Amino acid sequence: MKKIKLIGLLGVLAAGALALSACGSSAKTADAGGKGGKNNFRTLDEIKKSGTINIGVFSDKNPFGYVDENGEYQGYDIYFGNRLGKDLGVKINYVSTEAANRVEYLETGKVDLILANFTVTPERAEAVDFALPYMNVGLGVISPENNKIDSLDNWNPNDEMIIISGTTAEPYMIKNYPNIKLQKYDTYANAKNALLNGSGKAWVNDNTEVLAFAKSNPGYVVGIDDLGVKDTIAPAVTKGNTTLLDWVNTEIENLGKENFFHEDYEATLKDTYGAQYADTLVIEGGKTN
Amino acid sequence: MPDLGLNVIFKGKNAVRLLGGMGVALRISLIAVIISIPLGILVGILMTFKNPILKAVLRVYLEIIRIMPQLVLLFIVFFGSTRVIGVDISGDLAAVIVFSLWGIAEMGDLVRGAIISIPKHQYESGEALGLSKRQIFVYIIIPQTIKRLVPLSINLITRMIKTTSLVLMIGVVEVIKVAQQIIEANRTASPNAAFGVYLAVFLMYFIACTPISMLARYLEKRR
């Protein structure tokens, strides 16, 4: 009995050590041999055959992916996911993912597809395969109505710009507008207060955030809604899962013909951002301008 | 009275969802506790043995579990099992495995500490009375060990219950995740919902952990 226990423990330790080394080395590569030579993903046919697709989404990012009071997944990403499931003819199993584990879920094939407000970046593209984009994200500048900021070119050097540390806005502003003085805050709530009590002239943040803020705070207006390099949001599949990737791409192109993502925007995002920003935020048929 | 967002809890199925989330958290931690206590006691007894190989192995096991944050262990078991051996285990199972490994290691160390804290004269007195080694263990050492062990293990159990909040990182929707979902879903409708929802979560953890503390007090008094 003691011996068996001991062997068991040794096995646990060995497995732990193996897992550790594997995590270290395969973080960047696609780890094709992950499942003993088999693929670490399910092909389109395998998904169809099983009758269920596993889609990783956010469950707490209103209005993109969240769970309503009846326990149902809702939001812009979910609206799209439901359509994918319907057109594929399979049931959908939504998996609640976090920003930090989305790549890992795909690399281990624990989900087939990620629709979790996933911004396309070169680093991520090395680890997963992105399909065509379905949404834009950029930076926006919000300020009081009586001091609308349409351009950052004639910025008064005495004025300060509010920014949240650690957001994409920070490196962008430092690089492209080094002369604009920044007023940095750690949290959303503090930055918001700084704008409301006038400590800063304007606030630069993700355009979705500032648009939502303007919508719920009368007297504030978004003068610039597409500052800087635009990033896009796209579905992602496990690296090398070409059958599923091709199907999703074709699907996005076809959905573009019926203006599906505008319909999605109407249903899920309009209440938060207002109808006039549909063309700013939505990408139809995977075509970026 | 300021709006504490308590109404959000009673919207739709939110209350049931929160209770369900607490159920998930309790199920994981209690299964882990049930596995940890007997195996932990066994490991703890093994730790007091003089065999150097056994000692070294258990030491390494304990240190690994102790040094590694539970979150890292969860990731290793949940994603590592798929990467390395290609077994796709569920988040719940991964959580039970990690919490059991943690519980066994910590429980083992508590048992070891409790056993070696029994003064040597207790053993010697037993021998003087002509008791066998087995009898000394069963009638003298173990009863005293258990008495020392109860408060320590209750502490461990409540810690395990509370640490289940980490399992949301491997896709298990437990009470904290449900709370976050409710708060986010009502972000615009009731911005203060965080207070009410977390208050409810606090009360649920409190209600879950209190009987365990009471049981501990009862056990300590009974001796």
Side-chain angles (χ1 to χ4, degrees), chain B residues 46-60:
Chain B
L46 291 180
M47 277 176 178
T48 61
F49 285 13
K50 296 280 184 286
N51 185 330
I53 299 168
L54 188 65
K55 249 187 162 161
V57 169
L58 291 176
R59 193 81 219 155
V60 171

Side-chain angles (χ1 to χ4, degrees), chain A residues 156-176:
Chain A
N156 179 345
N158 295 321
D159 290 343
E160 293 191 350
M161 175 72 93
I162 299 166
I163 203 163
I164 304 177
S165 306
T167 58
T168 45
E170 193 182 8
Y172 176 81
M173 290 301 292
I174 291 170
K175 187 161 171 261
N176 295 287

Side-chain angles (χ1 to χ4, degrees), chain A residues 69 71, chain B residues 5-6 8-26 173-183 193-194 196-202 204-205:
Chain A
E69 65 266 25
Chain B
L6 290 167
V8 167
I9 298 164
F10 302 104
K11 211 164 127 190
K13 294 182 192 154
N14 283 354
V16 178
R17 288 172 59 212
L18 276 172
L19 286 173
M22 193 70 218
V24 170
L26 285 179
V173 181
E174 47 67 71
V175 65
I176 298 287
K177 190 74 213 174
V178 175
Q180 289 174 352
Q181 289 174 351
I182 292 173
I183 291 162
V197 173
Y198 280 124
L199 182 70
V201 171
F202 162 76
M204 279 193 279
Y205 273 115

Side-chain angles (χ1 to χ4, degrees), chain B:
Chain B
M1 183 166 152
D3 174 26
L4 300 180
L6 290 167
N7 55 323
V8 167
I9 298 164
F10 302 104
K11 211 164 127 190
K13 294 182 192 154
N14 283 354
V16 178
R17 288 172 59 212
L18 276 172
L19 286 173
M22 193 70 218
V24 170
L26 285 179
R27 197 181 67 223
I28 290 171
S29 43
L30 294 183
I31 293 175
V33 165
I34 290 166
I35 296 173
S36 300
I37 289 179
L39 291 182
I41 290 172
L42 188 70
V43 168
I45 293 170
L46 291 180
M47 277 176 178
T48 61
F49 285 13
K50 296 280 184 286
N51 185 330
I53 299 168
L54 188 65
K55 249 187 162 161
V57 169
L58 291 176
R59 193 81 219 155
V60 171
Y61 165 56
L62 175 66
E63 291 301 328
I64 285 179
I65 299 288
R66 208 187 249 163
I67 290 164
M68 278 237 242
Q70 272 78 36
L71 185 58
V72 176
L73 288 171
L74 285 169
F75 267 73
I76 289 175
V77 173
F78 184 59
F79 292 117
S81 60
T82 313
R83 274 182 190 278
V84 179
I85 42 176
V87 181
D88 187 10
I89 62 171
S90 70
D92 292 77
L93 181 59
V96 168
I97 293 173
V98 168
F99 279 79
S100 301
L101 286 175
W102 175 36
I104 294 169
E106 293 245 357
M107 190 69 200
D109 202 41
L110 296 180
V111 170
R112 182 194 61 85
I115 291 176
I116 60 171
S117 76
I118 307 290
K120 210 178 168 192
H121 64 74
Q122 294 285 331
Y123 293 87
E124 290 166 350
S125 312
E127 275 168 34
L129 289 171
L131 297 178
S132 71
K133 264 209 148 146
R134 202 185 113 87
Q135 285 170 321
I136 294 174
F137 231 79
V138 173
Y139 295 113
I140 299 176
I141 307 303
I142 290 181
Q144 297 186 70
T145 307
I146 288 173
K147 195 178 171 184
R148 286 167 203 214
L149 215 50
V150 168
L152 299 172
S153 29
I154 295 304
N155 188 3
L156 177 64
I157 292 167
T158 48
R159 234 166 3 117
M160 283 168 80
I161 293 174
K162 287 179 285 186
T163 313
T164 51
S165 58
L166 292 177
V167 302
L168 67 89
M169 287 306 293
I170 55 169
V172 181
V173 181
E174 47 67 71
V175 65
I176 298 287
K177 190 74 213 174
V178 175
Q180 289 174 352
Q181 289 174 351
I182 292 173
I183 291 162
E184 253 318 288
N186 295 283
R187 193 161 81 138
T188 44
S190 23
N192 296 327
F195 185 85
V197 173
Y198 280 124
L199 182 70
V201 171
F202 162 76
L203 287 174
M204 279 193 279
Y205 273 115
F206 188 80
I207 292 166
C209 291
T210 309
I212 298 170
S213 303
M214 279 161 65
L215 177 71
R217 216 171 311 147
Y218 168 76
L219 286 176
E220 272 182 86
K221 245 188 233 156
R222 214 181 50 157
R223 294 274 160 192

Side-chain angles (χ1 to χ4, degrees), chain A residues 11-252:
Chain A
V12 165
L13 284 177
L18 264 173
L20 261 184
S21 57
C23 283
S25 63
S26 59
K28 288 218 171 60
T29 60
D31 193 24
K35 280 187 175 178
K38 263 174 65 197
N39 287 331
N40 52 341
F41 54 78
R42 301 193 302 161
T43 62
L44 188 63
D45 285 339
E46 283 167 338
I47 294 167
K48 276 184 181 164
K49 205 180 278 173
S50 80
T52 311
I53 184 167
N54 299 315
I55 303 183
V57 293
F58 281 139
S59 65
D60 58 357
K61 293 281 178 295
N62 189 0
F64 300 104
Y66 65 99
V67 180
D68 69 9
E69 65 266 25
N70 296 315
E72 302 286 334
Y73 279 91
Q74 301 289 353
Y76 185 76
D77 292 339
I78 313 299
Y79 195 93
F80 178 37
N82 288 344
R83 179 63 191 263
L84 287 177
K86 192 179 137 214
D87 289 349
L88 197 58
V90 295
K91 276 195 236 138
I92 304 159
N93 172 31
Y94 285 115
V95 178
S96 163
T97 60
E98 306 297 320
N101 64 20
R102 288 175 297 188
V103 171
E104 197 72 17
Y105 262 101
L106 282 179
E107 286 188 335
T108 51
K110 283 182 182 283
V111 297
D112 302 307
L113 185 70
I114 288 278
L115 291 179
N117 207 241
F118 210 9
T119 308
V120 181
T121 66
E123 297 81 39
R124 286 174 184 163
E126 281 177 21
V128 302
D129 281 340
F130 282 106
L132 292 171
Y134 61 96
M135 205 180 129
N136 277 311
V137 280
L139 299 174
V141 178
I142 188 172
S143 56
E145 254 169 0
N146 55 17
N147 180 36
K148 193 179 176 194
I149 311 273
D150 293 317
S151 157
L152 294 181
D153 295 333
N154 302 313
W155 185 264
N156 179 345
N158 295 321
D159 290 343
E160 293 191 350
M161 175 72 93
I162 299 166
I163 203 163
I164 304 177
S165 306
T167 58
T168 45
E170 193 182 8
Y172 176 81
M173 290 301 292
I174 291 170
K175 187 161 171 261
N176 295 287
Y177 296 94
N179 297 324
I180 296 181
K181 257 192 273 177
L182 299 177
Q183 213 175 81
K184 297 183 185 177
Y185 294 93
D186 279 334
T187 64
Y188 182 88
N190 290 343
K192 177 182 161 180
N193 288 335
L195 183 69
L196 292 178
N197 64 28
S199 326
K201 277 283 167 222
W203 179 11
V204 55
N205 199 358
D206 288 357
N207 57 4
T208 50
E209 293 285 344
V210 293
L211 290 173
F213 185 90
K215 186 98 197 316
S216 56
N217 292 276
Y220 290 86
V221 62
V222 176
I224 309 172
D225 61 22
D226 56 350
L227 185 67
V229 195
K230 275 195 179 175
D231 281 326
T232 56
I233 288 183
V237 302
T238 310
K239 193 102 197 155
N241 194 355
T242 45
T243 52
L244 182 60
L245 184 70
D246 291 345
W247 184 84
V248 171
N249 281 339
T250 318
E251 177 76 4
I252 289 175

